[in-house]
Each structure stands twice: as structure tokens, then as C-alpha cells.
Amino acid sequence: MAISPTGITSTIKPKLLKKVLNQAIEQEAIKKIFPDAVSMDTVEVLNKQGRKTQISTLRDKDNNILYRLFKFNLPYMIKRFYTTGEARIFNQQGTLPYREVKTSVVNLKNKTVVKTREEVFTVTENTDKNKVVTKSLVEKQKTNPDAPYIETTSINQYQNKTPKNYYQTTIQRDKDGYITKKSVTHSNDGLPEDVYNNDYIHTMLWKPQEFKLNLFKDAIQKNGLKDENIQLRCANLGYKRVEPTQFAFYRDSERKLIFNSDYPGCDYKPFFTTITEHELTHARQYRDVRLYEKGLLNGEKAQKAKQYKENFDNYTDFKDNEAAYEQQIVEAEALENGYKAGDTVSYIFHKLLEKFNGKLVDKHLPGFVVK
């Protein structure tokens, strides 16, 4: 008999202790949280290590899973929420059904969530009528109580349960949220290396609000502005389709980047990347002016900071003269950096779409609308 490294025989199977299926739900507490739930399954098993696990599953009238709870004789439990729907592909007419599974691991001792995972599954057919499963995943795991989560984002495609295409990024942050380690793995399928070798690949699966906060933090780090204590704020600056719109601005006196939450496209990831990199270029320019005025710059950096100061002191607004506005070095740099960053995000996104044959479905990606 083969013995595993832990001394447990590999032939031992989990033992079923209890099984109750299709139990009608009468508890008001459950009905209040899961109004579509009509039945519950309860299963208890003894696993290979001799630990008891109780699994409770809520189902709707069509037998779809709504929720699962895993209880162990250990100081943690697992909760899973299931959602189904359809997402429309960007610039295409068809829709694809998806299933979303949100998982959280809870430490029962201090009631904290130590791990979360959001998975979106879709099943499609290729040209040979074979089933292809695409899974998009965002996972966060708390490994250090004094620092944020380790974040993993990945998109994996399977055919006949065999990996076909994939990419995965893992980033680790310090206690202030700045990246300290980053790695990328991907399938060798001929896509340009610059799809993966960039600063934005790990942002592709983030939700809009999470995307804004983390992309801002990453851009602060990339622009060398960690010590400037710049804050990101939203404001209702107004929006009318027929009039010029102020998308965002940087207020150096308060160290704030303020973006217009009224603009309908503010959640579009390439657009938000563009305005963030544009305004943080101004933040860097203002910092260089302060260093120049203190005599802390020399050579080419001092010359450029002098030009920044002259531009800021004699600034031409876009509304007054568009051509003069764009010719100012402070704006020329900001426009170039902003558009380049936004184009990069859009480029990565569409290259990933090509890689996954247009079947990349995740309702948090730019370009998708959930019906």
C-alpha cells in the first residue's frame, strides 16, 4: 500500500456522514437574504485527514446554486455566492452567459476575511464544436496583518479540461499599498511580449472603483511621487454633451487629483488611465518647480523645471486658445503621457480579446455591459 508523505494512505476516501437533499427553506432569515432560495442541501463528510466538513447549499426553483457554506472543525469557514447572467461583448451583437462565484474565507477567531476570490466562468464552442471554458479570476489573500493583500489576477481557458491559453499576474504591496513585487506568467502563444511586459496588465480584471484607487496608487509610485501625499478625490463637476467637459484637474496647493464623476465615461478604464497619468504628470512638474526654486536641481532638469515655472506663471487655458494650450511644455508632456497610457490599456485589453478568441467575458472589464 502506498503511503503519502504525511503518513496517510492514498487509498482512503472521504467518508459520507450525512446527506439531506431538497430540504424546503422556511427560515425567515435565509429568505430575507436569499429571496429566490427554495431548497437546501446539507452534506457532512469526514475527509482524508479525519476532519469533519459540513456543506450547506441553497438552490432556486430551477435547481441553480445560489450559495454554499463550508464549516469545518477548524477556526475558519468558507462562503460562496453564485450569480448567473449574460454579458454583451464590446462592439459585437451577441451575448454570452456567465456564472460568477464569489468566495470568502473567514477567520472565526477575529471575524476577519483572510482571503477572497471572484471567478467568472463562461462556456463556449470553438470551430470544431468542442466546449471551451474560460475562467477569469481575481484573488486576494491576507498574509501579513500590517500589509494589504497579495493580489492574483488571471484568465485561463480550458478545452477538454486541458489548459489552452492563460495569463496570471501576482503582485504584493507594502503597508502603504505600493507594489513591492510583481510577476507575470502566460502561455507561449505568439502574442507580443509587450502585452505582458507593462505596468497595466494586472489591472485588467479589477472592478471600476478598485481599478481607480489601485491604478492611482501604482501611477503615484511609477511617477516617483510617493512622498508628495497626493490624494485622489471625485467631484460633481457637471456634464453636458454639447459643451466642453472638465474631466479632471490637479490642485497642487492641496495635493489633490480631482476627477469628474459626472462624466459618463469615468469608469472606462483607458479613459481613467489617461486622465490619471495626465494629471500626475502635472504633479511631477509642480514638484520639480519647487525643487528648482530651492536650488536642488541642476543641468537639464533645472532647465526643464524653469520652463515648467514659466508655463504655470503664464498659463493659457484650453477654453481660451486650444492651439496655445497644447504647445505649452507642461501640457504637451501631460497629453503625451496620458494618451500613451490610455492607449496601452486599450491595446492590452484588445490583444487579450484576440488571444481568447473574443470569448473573454468578465463584467468588470472595460467594454462589457451586463444585461
Side-chain angles (χ1 to χ4, degrees):
M1 183 180 291
I3 303 296
S4 71
T6 57
I8 304 296
T9 60
S10 60
T11 57
I12 295 179
K13 295 182 179 181
K15 181 180 179 182
L16 181 63
L17 301 179
K18 179 182 177 182
K19 187 175 183 181
V20 180
L21 303 180
N22 298 319
Q23 184 177 8
I25 295 178
E26 298 177 355
Q27 297 95 321
E28 284 297 323
I30 295 178
K31 280 288 189 182
K32 186 175 181 179
I33 302 175
F34 302 97
D36 296 330
V38 298
S39 66
M40 180 171 66
D41 304 337
T42 304
V43 177
E44 286 187 4
V45 296
L46 202 65
N47 68 10
K48 294 179 180 179
Q49 287 74 35
R51 294 173 181 157
K52 186 172 74 171
T53 303
Q54 183 185 78
I55 308 169
S56 301
T57 304
L58 298 182
R59 299 179 184 272
D60 64 14
K61 61 181 178 58
D62 297 318
N63 209 37
N64 295 315
I65 299 175
L66 300 174
Y67 173 72
R68 268 196 177 132
L69 175 64
F70 298 78
K71 289 183 178 179
F72 313 92
N73 52 349
L74 293 169
Y76 67 90
M77 67 179 178
I78 298 175
K79 299 179 179 180
R80 284 193 182 136
F81 298 85
Y82 298 77
T83 306
T84 58
E86 284 189 341
R88 176 174 288 124
I89 299 177
F90 181 67
N91 281 345
Q92 296 184 29
Q93 297 300 315
T95 61
L96 289 174
Y98 70 86
R99 183 182 70 166
E100 184 179 44
V101 183
K102 294 184 178 181
T103 302
S104 60
V105 180
V106 183
N107 184 327
L108 296 175
K109 286 186 176 180
N110 52 22
K111 307 296 184 184
T112 59
V113 177
V114 296
K115 185 176 182 179
T116 62
R117 176 190 289 243
E118 295 191 18
E119 301 164 279
V120 178
F121 297 85
T122 61
V123 180
T124 57
E125 288 186 351
N126 62 13
T127 54
D128 298 326
K129 300 298 182 181
N130 291 317
K131 298 291 184 183
V132 178
V133 178
T134 302
K135 178 175 73 172
S136 306
L137 177 147
V138 179
E139 181 177 279
K140 298 181 182 179
Q141 185 167 2
K142 192 83 169 176
T143 57
N144 182 346
D146 298 323
Y149 294 90
I150 292 177
E151 303 168 7
T152 301
T153 62
S154 65
I155 302 175
N156 301 275
Q157 205 169 58
Y158 303 87
Q159 186 172 318
N160 297 327
K161 299 184 179 180
T162 302
K164 182 182 179 185
N165 288 314
Y166 69 88
Y167 93 83
Q168 175 175 301
T169 67
T170 302
I171 62 173
Q172 188 167 353
R173 300 178 184 270
D174 63 17
K175 61 183 178 63
D176 297 316
Y178 296 111
I179 295 176
T180 57
K181 188 183 294 185
K182 176 181 172 183
S183 64
V184 181
T185 58
H186 60 90
S187 54
N188 185 14
D189 56 5
L191 269 185
E193 190 64 26
D194 60 357
V195 171
Y196 304 97
N197 187 23
N198 63 77
D199 295 318
Y200 303 105
I201 183 69
H202 65 286
T203 69
M204 286 293 102
L205 297 178
W206 284 341
K207 297 177 182 178
Q209 191 61 25
E210 184 181 32
F211 176 88
K212 290 173 183 174
L213 294 173
N214 284 306
L215 180 128
F216 172 75
K217 182 72 72 172
D218 295 350
I220 285 285
Q221 183 178 36
K222 187 177 66 173
N223 284 280
L225 297 168
K226 289 172 62 175
D227 297 329
E228 292 296 296
N229 297 317
I230 300 171
Q231 303 296 312
L232 178 66
R233 295 287 183 266
C234 66
N236 300 112
L237 303 179
Y239 170 72
K240 291 183 179 180
R241 188 180 297 273
V242 296
E243 296 179 5
T245 297
Q246 185 173 28
F247 300 128
F249 63 90
Y250 173 68
R251 183 175 290 155
D252 189 61
S253 60
E254 299 178 9
R255 302 293 197 275
K256 288 181 181 179
L257 192 166
I258 300 170
F259 72 93
N260 187 1
S261 58
D262 288 334
Y263 180 61
C266 70
D267 284 340
Y268 183 58
K269 293 182 180 181
F271 170 78
F272 186 80
T273 304
T274 296
I275 65 171
T276 298
E277 294 287 1
H278 180 117
E279 299 304 333
L280 288 182
T281 298
H282 289 324
R284 178 177 52 77
Q285 293 164 347
Y286 275 110
R287 180 206 59 191
D288 289 350
V289 169
R290 289 194 295 274
L291 294 175
Y292 167 73
E293 291 176 332
K294 293 178 181 178
L296 298 176
L297 295 181
N298 52 52
E300 185 178 341
K301 288 186 176 180
Q303 287 296 322
K304 188 163 273 190
K306 182 181 178 181
Q307 289 181 283
Y308 295 157
K309 177 173 170 49
E310 291 172 353
N311 271 190
F312 286 136
D313 289 344
N314 303 280
Y315 188 75
T316 301
D317 193 87
F318 176 88
K319 297 191 294 293
D320 298 328
N321 189 323
E322 181 177 349
Y325 162 85
E326 294 179 350
Q327 289 172 2
Q328 299 169 114
I329 186 174
V330 291
E331 291 301 342
E333 280 189 1
L335 287 166
E336 180 182 3
N337 292 342
Y339 286 132
K340 182 179 178 181
D343 288 346
T344 299
V345 170
S346 181
Y347 168 76
I348 297 166
F349 170 67
H350 286 95
K351 284 298 181 181
L352 287 176
L353 273 182
E354 292 176 17
K355 174 180 179 178
F356 292 94
N357 302 317
K359 308 302 185 188
L360 180 64
V361 177
D362 188 302
K363 64 181 183 179
H364 304 313
L365 279 167
F368 285 119
V369 178
V370 177
K371 292 184 70 180

